[in-house]
């Protein structure tokens, strides 16, 4: 097995050597989603293909996606079958609508492949849709077939099994040495992340064999992060952040930035591919100019979603604390109910557009949270005074 891995890496290294970045738009874009990839996975795990792409492309160390919340009822659930990050990624905006235009609508021949059926609601606009539960190897095999036989100008490939490995780590038997530790060398997460990387290398090799590598914009990223204990609950920042690597025509070689937003992918791809961005509202991302070939932007990137997530997480905690404290002070329950009607939280995602911009949404919600936290602090101070001798 080790000889096979080394051989594959050697092939990939050879394929990447001497890649030129053409001024013309790429002939095709391939977007690979490795489900639930921790933002530190490229440095902590054996992912040689990802890391070689990083050496000859551009890396974002910490892409921030919206908190991976998944309502099962309400307006959002009537439209979407997956958590928030997937439609937001493909729309390129945090401001969702019932009839959402997405990146695939801007291409003529788009293909969607996933080894999961969770993403049905974002498949509109694709000419080819394959959702076949199975291994990452099967999904990559189907992607190679589609690239060879259909020649799409945009392909989105979702490899589900790394995220499944995180869930298996979380739910492992009590005597499993990797329970609640995705980094344990024997954890399912480690094995499945390594397999996903091998399959990405297989896809790269196939593109080279077909003579399609040099003019392909190739992106490997995730839909959401992964906690050290497994899976992607709402509060931990690890759930929100993941890496990305961009490679191909128009991409700066050997460059790295720290921050970007998941919503930046679509405007960046659209810019490079020469197609319109599907959404340019106040929730939309920005073109990642620091990673563009020939760019003089030396900034380390920016995230608008990260401070919004921080406020959303603070609200969850403050609301819970108000409700718990209301057992002794019922007026705090009334306050929590009042604040819920004012707060544009995770349960009101379909209304976020009413705030006009991500910055305005964040600032409005921050003021609500500050009022909640202030009321809690005031109540606690009063309790301390009442019990003082």
């Amino acid at each position: 097995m080790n000889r096979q891995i080394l051989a594959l890496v050697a092939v990939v290294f050879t394929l990447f050597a001497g890649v030129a970045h053409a001024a013309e738009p790429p002939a095709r874009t391939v977007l690979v989603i490795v489900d639930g990839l921790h933002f530190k996975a490229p440095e902590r795990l054996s992912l040689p293909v990802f890391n070689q792409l990083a050496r000859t492309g551009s890396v974002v160390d910490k892409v921030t996606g919206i908190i991976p919340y998944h309502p099962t009822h309400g307006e959002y659930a009537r439209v979407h079958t997956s958590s928030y990050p997937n439609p937001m990624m493909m729309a390129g905006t945090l401001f969702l609508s019932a009839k959402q235009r997405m990146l695939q609508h801007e291409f003529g021949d788009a293909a969607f492949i996933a080894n999961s059926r969770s993403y049905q609601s974002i498949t509109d606009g694709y000419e080819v849709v394959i959702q076949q539960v199975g291994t990452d190897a099967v999904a990559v095999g189907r992607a190679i077939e589609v690239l060879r036989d259909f020649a799409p100008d945009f392909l989105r490939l979702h490899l589900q099994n790394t995220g499944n490995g995180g869930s298996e780590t979380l739910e492992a038997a009590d005597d499993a040495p990797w329970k609640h530790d995705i980094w344990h060398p024997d954890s399912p997460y480690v094995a499945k992340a390594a397999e996903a990387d091998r399959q990405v290398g297989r896809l790269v090799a196939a593109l080279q064999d077909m003579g399609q590598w040099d003019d392909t914009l190739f992106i490997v990223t995730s839909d959401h992060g992964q906690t050290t204990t497994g899976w992607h609950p709402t509060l931990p920042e690890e759930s929100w952040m993941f890496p990305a690597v961009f490679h191909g025509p128009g991409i700066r070689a050997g460059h790295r930035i720290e921050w970007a937003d998941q919503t930046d992918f679509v405007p960046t791809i659209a810019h490079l591919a020469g197609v319109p961005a599907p959404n340019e509202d106040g929730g939309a991302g920005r073109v990642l100019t620091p990673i563009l070939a020939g760019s003089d932007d030396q900034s380390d990137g920016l995230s608008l979603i990260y401070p919004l997530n921080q406020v959303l997480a603070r609200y969850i905690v403050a609301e819970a604390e108000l409700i718990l404290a209301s057992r002794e002070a019922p007026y705090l329950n009334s306050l929590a109910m009042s604040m819920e009607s004012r707060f544009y939280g995770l349960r009101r995602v379909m209304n976020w557009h009413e705030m006009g911009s991500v910055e305005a949404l964040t600032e409005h919600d921050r003021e609500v949270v500050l009022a909640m936290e202030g009321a809690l602090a005031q109540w606690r101070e009063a309790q301390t005074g009442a019990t003082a001798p």
Side-chain angles (χ1 to χ4, degrees), residues 13-43:
F13 274 37
T14 302
L15 299 182
F16 293 157
V19 172
H21 297 292
E24 295 184 0
R28 70 200 60 78
T29 297
V30 175
L31 174 62
V32 181
I33 312 298
V34 178
D35 193 273
L37 192 62
H38 194 285
F39 75 97
K40 291 186 177 180
E43 66 182 74

PDB file of all heavy atoms in Angstrom, residues 13-43:
ATOM      1  N   PHE A  13       3.191  14.728  -8.548  1.00  0.00           N
ATOM      2  CA  PHE A  13       4.282  15.707  -8.544  1.00  0.00           C
ATOM      3  C   PHE A  13       4.714  16.009  -9.972  1.00  0.00           C
ATOM      4  O   PHE A  13       4.940  17.147 -10.346  1.00  0.00           O
ATOM      5  CB  PHE A  13       5.477  15.165  -7.754  1.00  0.00           C
ATOM      6  CG  PHE A  13       5.392  15.432  -6.280  1.00  0.00           C
ATOM      7  CD1 PHE A  13       4.173  15.384  -5.624  1.00  0.00           C
ATOM      8  CD2 PHE A  13       6.529  15.722  -5.545  1.00  0.00           C
ATOM      9  CE1 PHE A  13       4.092  15.610  -4.253  1.00  0.00           C
ATOM     10  CE2 PHE A  13       6.454  15.960  -4.183  1.00  0.00           C
ATOM     11  CZ  PHE A  13       5.232  15.901  -3.531  1.00  0.00           C
ATOM     12  N   THR A  14       4.820  14.956 -10.788  1.00  0.00           N
ATOM     13  CA  THR A  14       5.223  15.137 -12.173  1.00  0.00           C
ATOM     14  C   THR A  14       4.203  15.951 -12.946  1.00  0.00           C
ATOM     15  O   THR A  14       4.538  16.831 -13.738  1.00  0.00           O
ATOM     16  CB  THR A  14       5.403  13.763 -12.853  1.00  0.00           C
ATOM     17  OG1 THR A  14       6.376  13.028 -12.128  1.00  0.00           O
ATOM     18  CG2 THR A  14       5.833  13.925 -14.296  1.00  0.00           C
ATOM     19  N   LEU A  15       2.924  15.688 -12.668  1.00  0.00           N
ATOM     20  CA  LEU A  15       1.869  16.405 -13.388  1.00  0.00           C
ATOM     21  C   LEU A  15       1.902  17.884 -13.085  1.00  0.00           C
ATOM     22  O   LEU A  15       1.598  18.717 -13.930  1.00  0.00           O
ATOM     23  CB  LEU A  15       0.500  15.843 -12.989  1.00  0.00           C
ATOM     24  CG  LEU A  15       0.257  14.368 -13.291  1.00  0.00           C
ATOM     25  CD1 LEU A  15      -1.164  13.991 -12.868  1.00  0.00           C
ATOM     26  CD2 LEU A  15       0.456  14.068 -14.745  1.00  0.00           C
ATOM     27  N   PHE A  16       2.267  18.240 -11.831  1.00  0.00           N
ATOM     28  CA  PHE A  16       2.221  19.632 -11.433  1.00  0.00           C
ATOM     29  C   PHE A  16       3.439  20.423 -11.900  1.00  0.00           C
ATOM     30  O   PHE A  16       3.437  21.636 -11.865  1.00  0.00           O
ATOM     31  CB  PHE A  16       2.143  19.736  -9.901  1.00  0.00           C
ATOM     32  CG  PHE A  16       0.862  19.218  -9.332  1.00  0.00           C
ATOM     33  CD1 PHE A  16       0.802  18.803  -8.011  1.00  0.00           C
ATOM     34  CD2 PHE A  16      -0.270  19.132 -10.108  1.00  0.00           C
ATOM     35  CE1 PHE A  16      -0.379  18.327  -7.473  1.00  0.00           C
ATOM     36  CE2 PHE A  16      -1.453  18.648  -9.582  1.00  0.00           C
ATOM     37  CZ  PHE A  16      -1.509  18.244  -8.258  1.00  0.00           C
ATOM     38  N   ALA A  17       4.504  19.744 -12.284  1.00  0.00           N
ATOM     39  CA  ALA A  17       5.738  20.433 -12.616  1.00  0.00           C
ATOM     40  C   ALA A  17       5.539  21.329 -13.830  1.00  0.00           C
ATOM     41  O   ALA A  17       4.986  20.947 -14.845  1.00  0.00           O
ATOM     42  CB  ALA A  17       6.839  19.404 -12.899  1.00  0.00           C
ATOM     43  N   GLY A  18       6.001  22.553 -13.721  1.00  0.00           N
ATOM     44  CA  GLY A  18       6.009  23.452 -14.858  1.00  0.00           C
ATOM     45  C   GLY A  18       4.658  23.927 -15.307  1.00  0.00           C
ATOM     46  O   GLY A  18       4.493  24.316 -16.467  1.00  0.00           O
ATOM     47  N   VAL A  19       3.660  23.928 -14.441  1.00  0.00           N
ATOM     48  CA  VAL A  19       2.339  24.390 -14.843  1.00  0.00           C
ATOM     49  C   VAL A  19       2.374  25.883 -15.115  1.00  0.00           C
ATOM     50  O   VAL A  19       2.852  26.674 -14.301  1.00  0.00           O
ATOM     51  CB  VAL A  19       1.298  24.095 -13.744  1.00  0.00           C
ATOM     52  CG1 VAL A  19      -0.025  24.745 -14.081  1.00  0.00           C
ATOM     53  CG2 VAL A  19       1.119  22.597 -13.600  1.00  0.00           C
ATOM     54  N   ALA A  20       1.886  26.303 -16.265  1.00  0.00           N
ATOM     55  CA  ALA A  20       1.828  27.723 -16.607  1.00  0.00           C
ATOM     56  C   ALA A  20       0.429  28.240 -16.370  1.00  0.00           C
ATOM     57  O   ALA A  20      -0.552  27.519 -16.546  1.00  0.00           O
ATOM     58  CB  ALA A  20       2.211  27.914 -18.078  1.00  0.00           C
ATOM     59  N   HIS A  21       0.310  29.469 -15.967  1.00  0.00           N
ATOM     60  CA  HIS A  21      -0.985  30.071 -15.720  1.00  0.00           C
ATOM     61  C   HIS A  21      -1.370  30.940 -16.922  1.00  0.00           C
ATOM     62  O   HIS A  21      -0.839  32.031 -17.106  1.00  0.00           O
ATOM     63  CB  HIS A  21      -0.955  30.901 -14.438  1.00  0.00           C
ATOM     64  CG  HIS A  21      -0.688  30.072 -13.224  1.00  0.00           C
ATOM     65  ND1 HIS A  21      -1.582  29.154 -12.736  1.00  0.00           N
ATOM     66  CD2 HIS A  21       0.405  29.995 -12.424  1.00  0.00           C
ATOM     67  CE1 HIS A  21      -1.082  28.552 -11.674  1.00  0.00           C
ATOM     68  NE2 HIS A  21       0.119  29.035 -11.464  1.00  0.00           N
ATOM     69  N   ALA A  22      -2.268  30.429 -17.745  1.00  0.00           N
ATOM     70  CA  ALA A  22      -2.651  31.137 -18.962  1.00  0.00           C
ATOM     71  C   ALA A  22      -3.512  32.346 -18.643  1.00  0.00           C
ATOM     72  O   ALA A  22      -4.197  32.388 -17.642  1.00  0.00           O
ATOM     73  CB  ALA A  22      -3.417  30.174 -19.877  1.00  0.00           C
ATOM     74  N   ALA A  23      -3.439  33.344 -19.548  1.00  0.00           N
ATOM     75  CA  ALA A  23      -4.255  34.545 -19.367  1.00  0.00           C
ATOM     76  C   ALA A  23      -5.702  34.266 -19.735  1.00  0.00           C
ATOM     77  O   ALA A  23      -6.601  34.970 -19.281  1.00  0.00           O
ATOM     78  CB  ALA A  23      -3.691  35.675 -20.218  1.00  0.00           C
ATOM     79  N   GLU A  24      -5.953  33.275 -20.573  1.00  0.00           N
ATOM     80  CA  GLU A  24      -7.308  32.968 -20.999  1.00  0.00           C
ATOM     81  C   GLU A  24      -8.073  32.259 -19.883  1.00  0.00           C
ATOM     82  O   GLU A  24      -7.484  31.607 -19.021  1.00  0.00           O
ATOM     83  CB  GLU A  24      -7.277  32.090 -22.249  1.00  0.00           C
ATOM     84  CG  GLU A  24      -6.679  32.778 -23.461  1.00  0.00           C
ATOM     85  CD  GLU A  24      -6.742  31.912 -24.697  1.00  0.00           C
ATOM     86  OE1 GLU A  24      -7.256  30.770 -24.576  1.00  0.00           O
ATOM     87  OE2 GLU A  24      -6.284  32.357 -25.758  1.00  0.00           O
ATOM     88  N   PRO A  25      -9.407  32.367 -19.894  1.00  0.00           N
ATOM     89  CA  PRO A  25     -10.207  31.659 -18.876  1.00  0.00           C
ATOM     90  C   PRO A  25      -9.989  30.162 -18.966  1.00  0.00           C
ATOM     91  O   PRO A  25      -9.685  29.620 -20.037  1.00  0.00           O
ATOM     92  CB  PRO A  25     -11.651  32.031 -19.239  1.00  0.00           C
ATOM     93  CG  PRO A  25     -11.546  33.266 -20.057  1.00  0.00           C
ATOM     94  CD  PRO A  25     -10.252  33.166 -20.795  1.00  0.00           C
ATOM     95  N   PRO A  26     -10.148  29.465 -17.858  1.00  0.00           N
ATOM     96  CA  PRO A  26     -10.009  28.002 -17.899  1.00  0.00           C
ATOM     97  C   PRO A  26     -11.087  27.386 -18.777  1.00  0.00           C
ATOM     98  O   PRO A  26     -12.202  27.915 -18.895  1.00  0.00           O
ATOM     99  CB  PRO A  26     -10.193  27.600 -16.431  1.00  0.00           C
ATOM    100  CG  PRO A  26     -10.962  28.720 -15.811  1.00  0.00           C
ATOM    101  CD  PRO A  26     -10.510  29.953 -16.510  1.00  0.00           C
ATOM    102  N   ALA A  27     -10.770  26.253 -19.376  1.00  0.00           N
ATOM    103  CA  ALA A  27     -11.754  25.552 -20.195  1.00  0.00           C
ATOM    104  C   ALA A  27     -12.831  24.908 -19.340  1.00  0.00           C
ATOM    105  O   ALA A  27     -13.950  24.698 -19.795  1.00  0.00           O
ATOM    106  CB  ALA A  27     -11.058  24.489 -21.044  1.00  0.00           C
ATOM    107  N   ARG A  28     -12.485  24.606 -18.102  1.00  0.00           N
ATOM    108  CA  ARG A  28     -13.434  23.964 -17.188  1.00  0.00           C
ATOM    109  C   ARG A  28     -13.019  24.282 -15.751  1.00  0.00           C
ATOM    110  O   ARG A  28     -11.850  24.572 -15.482  1.00  0.00           O
ATOM    111  CB  ARG A  28     -13.483  22.446 -17.408  1.00  0.00           C
ATOM    112  CG  ARG A  28     -12.246  21.711 -16.971  1.00  0.00           C
ATOM    113  CD  ARG A  28     -12.104  20.350 -17.595  1.00  0.00           C
ATOM    114  NE  ARG A  28     -12.041  20.435 -19.054  1.00  0.00           N
ATOM    115  CZ  ARG A  28     -10.937  20.806 -19.731  1.00  0.00           C
ATOM    116  NH1 ARG A  28      -9.830  21.159 -19.061  1.00  0.00           N
ATOM    117  NH2 ARG A  28     -10.940  20.855 -21.031  1.00  0.00           N
ATOM    118  N   THR A  29     -13.980  24.172 -14.853  1.00  0.00           N
ATOM    119  CA  THR A  29     -13.722  24.328 -13.430  1.00  0.00           C
ATOM    120  C   THR A  29     -14.164  23.056 -12.720  1.00  0.00           C
ATOM    121  O   THR A  29     -15.277  22.562 -12.944  1.00  0.00           O
ATOM    122  CB  THR A  29     -14.486  25.533 -12.851  1.00  0.00           C
ATOM    123  OG1 THR A  29     -14.025  26.727 -13.484  1.00  0.00           O
ATOM    124  CG2 THR A  29     -14.281  25.642 -11.346  1.00  0.00           C
ATOM    125  N   VAL A  30     -13.302  22.523 -11.874  1.00  0.00           N
ATOM    126  CA  VAL A  30     -13.624  21.349 -11.068  1.00  0.00           C
ATOM    127  C   VAL A  30     -13.538  21.770  -9.602  1.00  0.00           C
ATOM    128  O   VAL A  30     -12.478  22.166  -9.118  1.00  0.00           O
ATOM    129  CB  VAL A  30     -12.664  20.177 -11.352  1.00  0.00           C
ATOM    130  CG1 VAL A  30     -12.951  19.012 -10.414  1.00  0.00           C
ATOM    131  CG2 VAL A  30     -12.774  19.737 -12.816  1.00  0.00           C
ATOM    132  N   LEU A  31     -14.661  21.687  -8.924  1.00  0.00           N
ATOM    133  CA  LEU A  31     -14.750  22.043  -7.510  1.00  0.00           C
ATOM    134  C   LEU A  31     -14.965  20.767  -6.711  1.00  0.00           C
ATOM    135  O   LEU A  31     -16.003  20.116  -6.834  1.00  0.00           O
ATOM    136  CB  LEU A  31     -15.914  23.013  -7.283  1.00  0.00           C
ATOM    137  CG  LEU A  31     -16.252  23.387  -5.829  1.00  0.00           C
ATOM    138  CD1 LEU A  31     -15.089  24.097  -5.156  1.00  0.00           C
ATOM    139  CD2 LEU A  31     -17.515  24.260  -5.788  1.00  0.00           C
ATOM    140  N   VAL A  32     -13.968  20.392  -5.908  1.00  0.00           N
ATOM    141  CA  VAL A  32     -14.030  19.169  -5.112  1.00  0.00           C
ATOM    142  C   VAL A  32     -14.299  19.542  -3.661  1.00  0.00           C
ATOM    143  O   VAL A  32     -13.541  20.313  -3.062  1.00  0.00           O
ATOM    144  CB  VAL A  32     -12.727  18.361  -5.203  1.00  0.00           C
ATOM    145  CG1 VAL A  32     -12.844  17.071  -4.387  1.00  0.00           C
ATOM    146  CG2 VAL A  32     -12.393  18.050  -6.660  1.00  0.00           C
ATOM    147  N   ILE A  33     -15.364  18.986  -3.104  1.00  0.00           N
ATOM    148  CA  ILE A  33     -15.724  19.205  -1.703  1.00  0.00           C
ATOM    149  C   ILE A  33     -15.387  17.937  -0.927  1.00  0.00           C
ATOM    150  O   ILE A  33     -15.984  16.884  -1.147  1.00  0.00           O
ATOM    151  CB  ILE A  33     -17.231  19.504  -1.546  1.00  0.00           C
ATOM    152  CG1 ILE A  33     -17.698  20.567  -2.547  1.00  0.00           C
ATOM    153  CG2 ILE A  33     -17.546  19.896  -0.106  1.00  0.00           C
ATOM    154  CD1 ILE A  33     -17.050  21.906  -2.394  1.00  0.00           C
ATOM    155  N   VAL A  34     -14.413  18.036  -0.031  1.00  0.00           N
ATOM    156  CA  VAL A  34     -14.110  16.933   0.890  1.00  0.00           C
ATOM    157  C   VAL A  34     -14.878  17.227   2.172  1.00  0.00           C
ATOM    158  O   VAL A  34     -14.535  18.143   2.917  1.00  0.00           O
ATOM    159  CB  VAL A  34     -12.603  16.811   1.159  1.00  0.00           C
ATOM    160  CG1 VAL A  34     -12.329  15.683   2.155  1.00  0.00           C
ATOM    161  CG2 VAL A  34     -11.851  16.572  -0.146  1.00  0.00           C
ATOM    162  N   ASP A  35     -15.907  16.485   2.410  1.00  0.00           N
ATOM    163  CA  ASP A  35     -16.848  16.796   3.476  1.00  0.00           C
ATOM    164  C   ASP A  35     -16.153  16.830   4.846  1.00  0.00           C
ATOM    165  O   ASP A  35     -15.386  15.928   5.199  1.00  0.00           O
ATOM    166  CB  ASP A  35     -17.960  15.743   3.514  1.00  0.00           C
ATOM    167  CG  ASP A  35     -19.137  16.165   4.373  1.00  0.00           C
ATOM    168  OD1 ASP A  35     -19.091  15.905   5.597  1.00  0.00           O
ATOM    169  OD2 ASP A  35     -20.085  16.751   3.828  1.00  0.00           O
ATOM    170  N   GLY A  36     -16.432  17.890   5.617  1.00  0.00           N
ATOM    171  CA  GLY A  36     -15.986  17.953   7.006  1.00  0.00           C
ATOM    172  C   GLY A  36     -14.482  17.964   7.199  1.00  0.00           C
ATOM    173  O   GLY A  36     -13.969  17.375   8.154  1.00  0.00           O
ATOM    174  N   LEU A  37     -13.747  18.673   6.346  1.00  0.00           N
ATOM    175  CA  LEU A  37     -12.290  18.695   6.444  1.00  0.00           C
ATOM    176  C   LEU A  37     -11.844  19.747   7.466  1.00  0.00           C
ATOM    177  O   LEU A  37     -12.115  20.933   7.309  1.00  0.00           O
ATOM    178  CB  LEU A  37     -11.673  18.993   5.082  1.00  0.00           C
ATOM    179  CG  LEU A  37     -10.171  18.774   4.943  1.00  0.00           C
ATOM    180  CD1 LEU A  37      -9.811  17.308   5.177  1.00  0.00           C
ATOM    181  CD2 LEU A  37      -9.692  19.220   3.563  1.00  0.00           C
ATOM    182  N   HIS A  38     -11.185  19.298   8.517  1.00  0.00           N
ATOM    183  CA  HIS A  38     -10.684  20.203   9.557  1.00  0.00           C
ATOM    184  C   HIS A  38      -9.658  21.167   8.956  1.00  0.00           C
ATOM    185  O   HIS A  38      -8.857  20.773   8.102  1.00  0.00           O
ATOM    186  CB  HIS A  38     -10.045  19.395  10.684  1.00  0.00           C
ATOM    187  CG  HIS A  38      -9.784  20.164  11.941  1.00  0.00           C
ATOM    188  ND1 HIS A  38      -8.752  21.073  12.047  1.00  0.00           N
ATOM    189  CD2 HIS A  38     -10.422  20.167  13.149  1.00  0.00           C
ATOM    190  CE1 HIS A  38      -8.748  21.594  13.275  1.00  0.00           C
ATOM    191  NE2 HIS A  38      -9.758  21.068  13.955  1.00  0.00           N
ATOM    192  N   PHE A  39      -9.656  22.418   9.416  1.00  0.00           N
ATOM    193  CA  PHE A  39      -8.755  23.397   8.801  1.00  0.00           C
ATOM    194  C   PHE A  39      -7.277  23.067   9.038  1.00  0.00           C
ATOM    195  O   PHE A  39      -6.404  23.536   8.307  1.00  0.00           O
ATOM    196  CB  PHE A  39      -9.096  24.820   9.259  1.00  0.00           C
ATOM    197  CG  PHE A  39      -8.684  25.174  10.662  1.00  0.00           C
ATOM    198  CD1 PHE A  39      -7.494  25.849  10.909  1.00  0.00           C
ATOM    199  CD2 PHE A  39      -9.508  24.875  11.743  1.00  0.00           C
ATOM    200  CE1 PHE A  39      -7.126  26.195  12.194  1.00  0.00           C
ATOM    201  CE2 PHE A  39      -9.146  25.222  13.036  1.00  0.00           C
ATOM    202  CZ  PHE A  39      -7.942  25.882  13.268  1.00  0.00           C
ATOM    203  N   LYS A  40      -6.989  22.230  10.031  1.00  0.00           N
ATOM    204  CA  LYS A  40      -5.603  21.823  10.271  1.00  0.00           C
ATOM    205  C   LYS A  40      -5.254  20.475   9.639  1.00  0.00           C
ATOM    206  O   LYS A  40      -4.122  20.003   9.790  1.00  0.00           O
ATOM    207  CB  LYS A  40      -5.321  21.775  11.774  1.00  0.00           C
ATOM    208  CG  LYS A  40      -5.308  23.142  12.441  1.00  0.00           C
ATOM    209  CD  LYS A  40      -4.885  23.040  13.899  1.00  0.00           C
ATOM    210  CE  LYS A  40      -4.807  24.431  14.531  1.00  0.00           C
ATOM    211  NZ  LYS A  40      -4.393  24.358  15.966  1.00  0.00           N
ATOM    212  N   ALA A  41      -6.192  19.890   8.928  1.00  0.00           N
ATOM    213  CA  ALA A  41      -5.932  18.561   8.348  1.00  0.00           C
ATOM    214  C   ALA A  41      -4.720  18.531   7.425  1.00  0.00           C
ATOM    215  O   ALA A  41      -3.928  17.574   7.481  1.00  0.00           O
ATOM    216  CB  ALA A  41      -7.180  18.059   7.621  1.00  0.00           C
ATOM    217  N   PRO A  42      -4.504  19.523   6.558  1.00  0.00           N
ATOM    218  CA  PRO A  42      -3.339  19.438   5.670  1.00  0.00           C
ATOM    219  C   PRO A  42      -2.001  19.397   6.395  1.00  0.00           C
ATOM    220  O   PRO A  42      -1.033  18.838   5.867  1.00  0.00           O
ATOM    221  CB  PRO A  42      -3.461  20.717   4.817  1.00  0.00           C
ATOM    222  CG  PRO A  42      -4.922  21.023   4.819  1.00  0.00           C
ATOM    223  CD  PRO A  42      -5.382  20.658   6.203  1.00  0.00           C
ATOM    224  N   GLU A  43      -1.925  19.982   7.591  1.00  0.00           N
ATOM    225  CA  GLU A  43      -0.654  19.961   8.319  1.00  0.00           C
ATOM    226  C   GLU A  43      -0.558  18.797   9.296  1.00  0.00           C
ATOM    227  O   GLU A  43       0.541  18.357   9.628  1.00  0.00           O
ATOM    228  CB  GLU A  43      -0.446  21.284   9.075  1.00  0.00           C
ATOM    229  CG  GLU A  43      -1.440  21.541  10.196  1.00  0.00           C
ATOM    230  CD  GLU A  43      -1.218  22.882  10.875  1.00  0.00           C
ATOM    231  OE1 GLU A  43      -1.560  23.914  10.260  1.00  0.00           O
ATOM    232  OE2 GLU A  43      -0.711  22.891  12.006  1.00  0.00           O
TER     233      GLU A  43
END
